[in-house]
């Protein structure tokens, strides 16, 4: 009723507001049209001072029509009259349609006030709009009208609610009076229904009056309590219910599910106090037979405990891929809920990660869990041998399933293996055994023994199924751990065989390195140190996506590719471009072959070339973290080098960054496993790395040791490759360079200067070979190349001669025909130099030749004669 009245009042308010707005629109339109069409309005608008003529008339019309304002506007909407004189001369808003000649009404929101208004154009005799009249009623005025109506509406609502409440109360009172007594048929039906329910339920019901006499007992109560036939109206104390039950029923205290004995039964009793109409307080008691329920509950509790044990076993066994730890988890789960002692023996081949052998009678005790100490069982690490054929353990191995020995005191076959040890176990209190072979994929991996001692019941047949299920779950976990251990060992072996075993000899850098495989599996991190011509050294660090054998094999392929590409003496960006193309090709081939291996796309690599002549370093990286640079004073920076996408993404050029490294600087290259893991982000890792490498007095080896000790656990979650290189500079006195005019006649002059410099270096014995090589290389550069031509000679552990020119044409070694006048220069170079080659610069090329000091090459005499025979 309240909702209906509220809805009605709301509807009346809305209706009243709507009617008020409609009335306001009609009144405003009538007032505006009347004033607009009044004689003299149009003429006054054309007068010199329309405000003076129209303001009084507009005010009279406003008061007479009952509107809040009548305003006269010129065609531009400027107020000529207004009830508020300060608004005269201001522009009215939203009167454009009237200025076009159309009268309209609207609900206006804005300055000077919200109102319902009408705007009517004023036309002259020619039909032209010479002004406008706006009339309206403000919202405040409408609100006052509605406020006058609201009290009436509320009063009507209160009256309606009062009438409804009184009427409801009267009707309810009459209904209660009329239905208090039922008719004979209804009363009979109700009694029959209540009586049927009372005696049909499988729960005893007693109603005891306030005087302690039995008022009512249903059939189930009579059966459970064995009540006499004349129990009705007799005192409870005379019914022979037993002292505890009698005391409970006569105490008048409420109880809930209290279990009491009644003869051979256990009854759950509930009691509640009642107050009958007009009578003294009484008691209602209910009885439920829980004898069978208790037995079933006990069995259910045992079954629930076993299921809980199996669930915990599934959660706790196999949390790691460690064979010994998995065996320990099995023993820990079963003690003390399943057994007092559990021993686990495994084959030595399984512990090594190898395939299980057929010699299953020799096992190593791997785990032992005990409920109490001082037992005589053999400790972990002992060799367990099954040499007697009729012991329970050998029988279990032969049958392939569990064997239960309920009472070890009467099991003579168990004593046959070790009579003295068996007697010690029996004296200690061990009396029951279940032995289960640990099998996976039909192959025996080991043996699990469950023992019970003093204070525990013997094993039952139901315990065998639980033991077999526990062992079966553990067997799968142990076999998985064995397989993982074998694969991990293979992957580690492969990984280490593919990584460099030692850094090559070179003079430009002092090198130290570390590689640490991941805890969960070998990854694809790698590093390399590659000597290049001109005493330059290439440093490589890379990371392959994924773990396992596939990652290790892929790492080997990429490392081999980098070694091959570096032999071409490419710049870092060119080398990474070729490597990126190769990764894309590998992924395409794997996709076409529907390979199960993971794609290589996403592998990262950093390639740097350090030149000891001047300490210049060029670097290019494909998705790899930037290296750390430690200056000789210990300042650490992470240079902002150009970053290109990882290998295999394709479609993006690779860029090169450049660094000038003073002598004694350390260049620290690493993979992301060093600075980033699940427990810390990369920013925190970089801060830790900065702190670890900042000491200026540390050697590269000491730097590697400090980084590993401060930043990494023994078994990190990801592979880590670390490469630390301290720079050296080639002595400027051992570098000689000449700019050569682009003229063949300059060859002899340069040859003389080279010979003089060799004498200064104490290498006069190498003068002939060096001059010969220089003559051939320099003549080729001037004859077939382009300016500028430059000669540079470097002295280190070897002697390197370099001739550069501005041409990109590459010379090649060939066998000249007998009629050729040239083509034998590079052949002579190849015979007298230990190594030679070509590398390309930004502009032009460099042809280099290297000679070993203290040894004059011995060319192939026959080949020389053949070449010079022409």
């Amino acid at each position: 009723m309240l909702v209906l009245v509220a809805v009605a009042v709301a509807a009346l308010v809305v209706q009243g507001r709507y009617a008020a707005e409609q009335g306001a629109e009609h009144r405003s339109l009538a007032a505006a049209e009347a004033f607009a069409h009044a004689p003299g309005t149009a003429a006054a608008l054309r007068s010199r001072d329309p405000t003076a003529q129209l303001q009084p008339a507009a005010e009279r019309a406003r008061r007479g029509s009952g509107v809040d304002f009548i305003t006269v506007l010129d065609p531009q909407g400027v107020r000529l009259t207004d009830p508020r004189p300060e608004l005269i001369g201001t522009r009215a808003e939203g009167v454009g349609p009237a200025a076009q000649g159309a009268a309209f009404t609207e609900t206006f929101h804005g300055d000077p006030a919200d109102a319902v208004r009408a705007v009517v154009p004023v036309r002259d005799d020619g039909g032209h709009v010479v002004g406008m009249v706006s009339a309206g009623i403000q919202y405040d005025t409408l609100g006052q009208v509605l406020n006058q109506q609201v009290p009436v509406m509320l009063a009507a609502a209160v009256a309606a609610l009062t009438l409804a409440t009184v009427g409801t109360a009267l009707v309810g009172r009459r209904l209660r009076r009329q239905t208090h007594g039922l008719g004979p048929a209804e009363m009979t039906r109700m009694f029959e229904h209540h009586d049927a329910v009372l005696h049909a339920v499988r729960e005893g019901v007693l109603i005891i009056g306030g005087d302690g006499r039995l008022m009512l007992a249903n059939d189930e109560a009579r059966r459970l309590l064995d009540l006499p036939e004349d129990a009705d109206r007799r005192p409870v104390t005379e019914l022979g219910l037993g002292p505890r039950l009698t005391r409970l029923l006569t105490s008048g205290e409420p109880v809930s599910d209290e279990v009491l004995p009644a003869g051979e039964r256990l009854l759950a009793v509930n009691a509640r106090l009642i107050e009958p109409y007009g009578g003294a307080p009484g008691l209602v008691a209910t009885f439920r037979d829980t004898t069978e329920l208790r037995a079933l509950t006990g069995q259910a509790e045992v079954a629930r405990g076993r299921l809980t044990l199996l669930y915990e076993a599934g959660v706790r066994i196999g949390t790691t891929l460690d064979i010994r730890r998995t065996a320990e988890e099995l023993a820990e789960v079963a003690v003390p809920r399943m057994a007092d002692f559990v021993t686990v023996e495994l084959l030595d081949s399984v512990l090594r990660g190898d395939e299980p052998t057929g010699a299953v009678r020799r096992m190593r005790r791997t785990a032992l869990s005990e409920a109490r100490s001082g037992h005589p069982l053999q400790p972990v690490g002992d060799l367990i041998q099954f040499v007697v054929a009729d012991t329970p353990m050998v029988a279990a191995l032969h049958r392939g399933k569990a064997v239960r020995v309920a009472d070890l005191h009467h099991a003579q076959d168990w004593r046959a293996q070790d009579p003295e040890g068996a007697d010690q176990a029996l004296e200690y209190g061990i009396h029951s055994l279940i032995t289960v072979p640990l099998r996976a994929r039909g192959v025996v991996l080991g043996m699990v023994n469950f023992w019970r001692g003093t204070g525990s019941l013997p094993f039952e047949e139901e315990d065998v199924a639980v033991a077999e299920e526990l062992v079966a779950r553990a067997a799968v976990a142990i076999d998985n751990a064995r397989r993982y251990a074998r694969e991990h060992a293979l992957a580690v072996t492969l990984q280490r065989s593919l990584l460099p075993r030692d850094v090559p000899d070179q003079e430009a850098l002092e090198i130290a390195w570390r590689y640490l495989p991941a805890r969960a599996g070998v990854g694809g991190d790698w590093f390399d140190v590659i000597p290049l011509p001109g005493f330059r050294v290439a440093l490589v660090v890379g990371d392959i996506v994924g773990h396992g054998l596939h990652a290790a094999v892929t790492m080997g392929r990429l490392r081999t590719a980098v070694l091959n590409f570096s032999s071409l003496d490419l710049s870092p960006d060119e080398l990474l471009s070729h490597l990126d193309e190769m990764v894309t090709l590998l992924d395409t081939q794997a996709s076409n072959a529907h390979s199960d291996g993971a794609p290589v796309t996403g592998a990262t690599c950093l390639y740097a070339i350090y030149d000891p002549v001047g300490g210049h370093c060029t670097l290019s990286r494909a998705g790899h973290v930037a290296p750390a640079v430690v200056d000789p004073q210990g300042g650490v920076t992470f240079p902002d080098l150009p970053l290109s996408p990882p290998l295999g993404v394709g479609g993006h050029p690779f860029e090169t960054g450049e660094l000038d490294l003073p002598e004694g600087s350390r260049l620290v290259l690493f993979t992301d496993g060093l600075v980033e893991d699940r427990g810390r982000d990369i920013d925190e890792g970089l801060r830790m790395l900065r702190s670890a490498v900042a000491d200026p007095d540390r050697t590269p080896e000491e730097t590697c040791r400090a980084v590993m000790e401060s930043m990494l656990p023994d078994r990190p979650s990801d592979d880590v490759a670390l490469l630390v290189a301290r720079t050296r500079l080639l002595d400027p006195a051992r570098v000689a360079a000449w700019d050569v005019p682009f003229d063949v006649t300059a060859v002899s002059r340069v040859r003389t200067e080279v010979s003089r410099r060799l004498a200064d270096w104490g290498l006069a014995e190498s003068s002939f070979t060096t001059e010969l090589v220089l003559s051939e290389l320099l003549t080729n550069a001037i004859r077939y190349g382009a300016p500028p031509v430059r000669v540079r000679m470097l002295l280190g552990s070897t002697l390197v001669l370099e001739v550069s020119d501005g041409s990109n044409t590459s010379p090649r070694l060939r066998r000249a025909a007998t009629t050729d006048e040239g083509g034998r220069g590079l052949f002579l170079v190849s015979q007298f130099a230990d190594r030679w080659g070509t590398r390309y610069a930004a502009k032009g090329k460099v042809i280099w030749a290297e000679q070993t000091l203290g040894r004059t090459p011995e060319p192939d005499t026959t080949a020389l004669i053949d070449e010079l025979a022409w």
Side-chain angles (χ1 to χ4, degrees):
M1 196 65 189
L2 179 62
V3 172
L4 290 176
V5 171
V7 171
V9 171
L12 288 175
V13 172
V14 173
Q15 179 63 27
R17 187 174 188 87
Y18 177 79
E21 289 183 358
Q22 290 295 108
E25 287 184 1
H26 293 321
R27 287 170 59 193
S28 300
L29 182 60
E33 287 183 343
F35 194 87
H37 299 153
T41 300
L45 285 169
R46 292 194 300 270
S47 65
R48 292 184 176 181
D49 190 0
T51 300
Q53 296 185 28
L54 295 174
Q55 178 71 7
E59 283 301 295
R60 288 194 299 274
R62 180 183 66 80
R63 289 191 293 271
S65 61
V67 298
D68 289 335
F69 62 89
I70 293 179
T71 302
V72 181
L73 312 171
D74 66 7
Q76 287 74 37
V78 177
R79 293 182 176 87
L80 301 177
T81 70
D82 195 274
R84 295 165 59 183
E86 67 271 11
L87 296 178
I88 295 176
T90 62
R91 186 179 298 277
E93 299 177 357
V95 296
Q100 300 297 323
F104 68 95
T105 60
E106 67 175 359
T107 300
F108 175 77
H109 297 281
D111 293 326
D114 296 341
V116 176
R117 72 175 183 180
V119 184
V120 177
V122 179
R123 300 178 184 273
D124 58 9
D125 295 338
H128 299 93
V129 176
V130 297
M132 294 171 283
V133 176
S134 174
I137 299 175
Q138 296 180 357
Y139 267 19
D140 293 343
T141 304
L142 294 177
Q144 294 174 2
V145 174
L146 290 175
N147 290 340
Q148 294 173 0
Q149 298 176 358
V150 168
V152 177
M153 297 179 185
L154 292 178
V158 171
L161 284 174
T162 303
L163 181 61
T165 302
V166 173
T168 301
L170 293 175
V171 171
R173 181 179 178 183
R174 180 170 183 136
L175 288 175
R176 285 194 300 272
R177 185 171 62 250
Q178 290 180 347
T179 59
H180 184 70
L182 299 176
E186 290 79 5
M187 289 294 294
T188 301
R189 185 165 57 253
M190 180 178 292
F191 174 79
E192 291 175 349
H193 290 171
H194 288 181
D195 191 62
V197 171
L198 181 65
H199 294 287
V201 295
R202 293 292 306 275
E203 191 165 339
V205 179
L206 292 183
I207 299 179
I208 302 170
D211 56 358
R213 294 180 178 272
L214 180 63
M215 304 294 295
L216 182 145
N218 69 347
D219 294 343
E220 186 68 10
R222 293 178 183 274
R223 184 183 71 84
L224 294 176
L225 300 177
D226 197 17
L227 295 177
E229 293 293 336
D230 58 347
D232 294 342
R233 305 301 304 173
R234 290 178 59 181
V236 174
T237 55
E238 300 177 1
L239 299 179
L241 301 180
R244 292 182 59 187
L245 183 56
T246 300
R247 185 168 57 252
L248 184 149
L249 295 177
T250 57
S251 65
E253 297 179 358
V255 296
S256 296
D257 289 334
E258 182 170 343
V259 179
L260 299 175
E264 297 180 354
R265 297 186 178 91
L266 289 176
L267 302 181
V269 183
N270 291 274
R272 293 291 183 271
L273 297 176
I274 59 171
E275 290 187 6
Y277 294 106
L283 183 75
V284 174
T286 62
F287 305 86
R288 186 172 66 254
D289 189 356
T290 62
T291 306
E292 296 180 359
L293 181 61
R294 283 291 173 130
L296 293 175
T297 302
Q299 297 176 5
E301 287 296 332
V302 173
R304 186 182 300 110
R306 289 169 176 166
L307 290 175
T308 304
L309 176 63
L310 293 177
Y311 170 75
E312 291 184 4
V315 174
R316 294 174 55 185
I317 297 176
T319 58
T320 68
L321 289 173
D322 183 85
I323 298 174
R324 298 180 185 274
R325 181 55 193 155
T326 304
E328 292 171 357
E329 289 170 345
L330 168 61
E332 292 169 358
V333 166
V335 175
R337 299 173 62 178
M338 174 70 184
D340 296 323
F341 308 94
V342 174
T343 59
V344 181
E345 290 83 45
L346 296 177
L347 297 173
D348 285 335
S349 58
V350 173
L351 291 172
R352 293 192 302 268
D354 298 333
E355 288 291 333
T357 63
V360 296
R361 297 199 177 190
R362 293 170 55 88
M363 299 183 185
R364 186 76 57 183
R365 179 148 292 174
T366 309
L368 188 154
S369 184
E370 55 194 16
R372 56 183 185 272
S373 60
H375 58 81
L377 299 176
Q378 290 177 257
V380 172
D382 276 13
L383 183 65
I384 309 298
Q385 301 188 59
F386 308 111
V387 296
V388 179
D390 56 352
T391 60
M393 290 75 172
V394 176
L397 290 173
H398 281 233
R399 294 165 55 186
K401 60 181 181 179
V403 171
R404 177 177 68 98
V405 181
D407 189 355
L408 293 173
H409 292 85
H410 303 93
Q412 297 301 322
D413 54 355
W414 174 65
R415 296 171 178 267
Q417 174 77 27
D418 183 9
E420 182 179 353
D423 291 339
Q424 293 177 358
L426 292 174
E427 291 176 4
Y428 182 77
I430 296 176
H431 60 79
S432 191
L433 165 69
I434 294 179
T435 180
V436 187
L438 200 152
R439 298 164 57 90
R441 299 179 294 111
V443 179
V444 175
L445 306 177
M447 176 73 68
V448 182
N449 298 309
F450 300 87
W451 313 82
R452 281 185 180 175
T454 303
S456 299
L457 297 174
F459 284 113
E460 300 176 354
E461 193 62 37
E462 292 80 3
D463 295 321
V464 175
V466 178
E468 288 183 330
E469 180 65 22
L470 279 176
V471 173
R473 297 188 180 195
V476 174
I478 290 175
D479 191 52
N480 289 338
R482 180 193 63 79
R483 289 168 174 265
Y484 168 77
R486 183 181 183 184
E487 181 179 345
H488 184 71
L490 289 174
V492 169
T493 302
L494 177 61
Q495 176 85 336
R496 293 194 179 278
S497 67
L498 294 175
L499 288 172
R501 297 185 178 182
D502 201 358
V503 294
D505 293 333
Q506 42 80 36
E507 303 177 54
L509 297 169
E510 181 184 352
I511 300 291
W513 59 272
R514 291 290 188 278
Y515 171 75
L516 198 61
R519 176 179 66 251
V522 173
D525 293 10
W526 93 92
F527 67 92
D528 222 331
V529 179
I530 307 171
L532 297 177
F535 305 120
R536 295 170 303 131
V537 179
L539 302 177
V540 189
V541 174
D543 188 359
I544 304 297
V545 177
H547 293 83
L549 288 173
H550 177 78
V553 171
T554 304
M555 179 275 293
R557 299 173 75 177
L558 292 189
R559 179 173 178 250
T560 302
V562 171
L563 288 171
N564 291 334
F565 291 143
S566 65
S567 66
L568 301 177
D569 210 346
L570 301 174
S571 62
D573 55 336
E574 288 183 290
L575 185 141
L576 290 185
S577 296
H578 287 294
L579 197 62
D580 179 68
E581 293 175 359
M582 192 197 79
V583 169
T584 303
L585 179 60
L586 290 177
D587 283 345
T588 302
Q589 292 174 348
S591 176
N592 293 338
H594 303 288
S595 173
D596 294 333
V600 188
T601 300
T604 66
C605 183
L606 187 148
Y607 187 84
I609 297 178
Y610 174 71
D611 189 349
V613 182
H616 191 66
C617 184
T618 57
L619 308 92
S620 186
R621 57 188 181 129
H624 203 83
V625 289
V629 177
V630 187
D631 61 30
Q633 292 74 37
V636 183
T637 59
F638 295 93
D640 185 15
L641 300 173
L643 178 62
S644 299
L647 299 174
V649 174
H652 298 273
F654 291 90
E655 301 180 47
T656 299
E658 298 183 353
L659 299 174
D660 289 319
L661 303 176
E663 186 170 14
S665 300
R666 280 172 290 163
L667 192 62
V668 183
L669 285 71
F670 52 91
T671 55
D672 58 357
L674 179 67
V675 295
E676 186 177 18
D677 60 22
R678 296 177 181 176
R680 67 177 180 227
D681 58 19
I682 190 170
D683 293 333
E684 181 182 357
L686 292 177
R687 286 194 296 269
M688 295 176 63
L689 179 62
R690 183 190 300 272
S691 175
V693 302
D695 191 341
D697 298 327
R698 284 177 178 161
T699 64
E701 181 63 30
E702 293 170 343
T703 302
C704 286
R705 187 182 306 115
V707 169
M708 289 295 172
E709 291 177 354
S710 62
M711 297 187 64
L712 291 176
D714 293 336
R715 299 294 301 277
S717 60
D718 193 8
D719 279 23
V720 174
L722 174 65
L723 189 64
V724 180
R726 183 157 63 183
T727 60
R728 299 167 179 160
L729 293 181
L730 193 62
D731 187 353
R734 292 174 171 263
V735 179
W738 297 271
D739 292 322
V740 182
F742 200 68
D743 187 354
V744 177
T745 60
V747 174
S748 60
R749 179 179 59 80
V750 175
R751 187 168 57 238
T752 302
E753 293 182 3
V754 167
S755 179
R756 186 181 303 115
R757 180 56 62 92
L758 290 174
D760 294 340
W761 286 346
L763 301 175
E765 70 279 2
S766 302
S767 178
F768 173 77
T769 302
T770 305
E771 290 182 17
L772 177 62
V773 172
L774 173 65
S775 297
E776 297 299 336
L777 295 182
L778 192 55
T779 303
N780 281 344
I782 295 175
R783 180 175 297 176
Y784 303 110
V789 178
R790 182 176 175 83
V791 174
R792 188 173 73 161
M793 191 163 54
L794 308 175
L795 176 60
S797 58
T798 59
L799 179 66
V800 177
L801 185 65
E802 297 178 347
V803 177
S804 62
D805 67 84
S807 171
N808 288 324
T809 58
S810 176
R812 61 186 180 87
L813 182 65
R814 65 184 181 88
R815 181 174 295 276
T818 56
T819 57
D820 289 343
E821 296 184 0
R824 295 170 178 81
L826 289 181
F827 175 78
L828 294 176
V829 171
S830 67
Q831 291 296 308
F832 285 95
D834 293 296
R835 293 193 306 154
W836 73 278
T838 304
R839 71 172 181 269
Y840 293 94
K843 295 181 180 180
K845 65 179 180 297
V846 177
I847 305 177
W848 58 271
E850 183 176 320
Q851 303 173 58
T852 302
L853 298 178
R855 183 179 67 85
T856 302
E858 297 182 0
D860 186 345
T861 306
T862 304
L864 283 176
I865 294 175
D866 290 343
E867 287 293 325
L868 299 176
W870 64 278

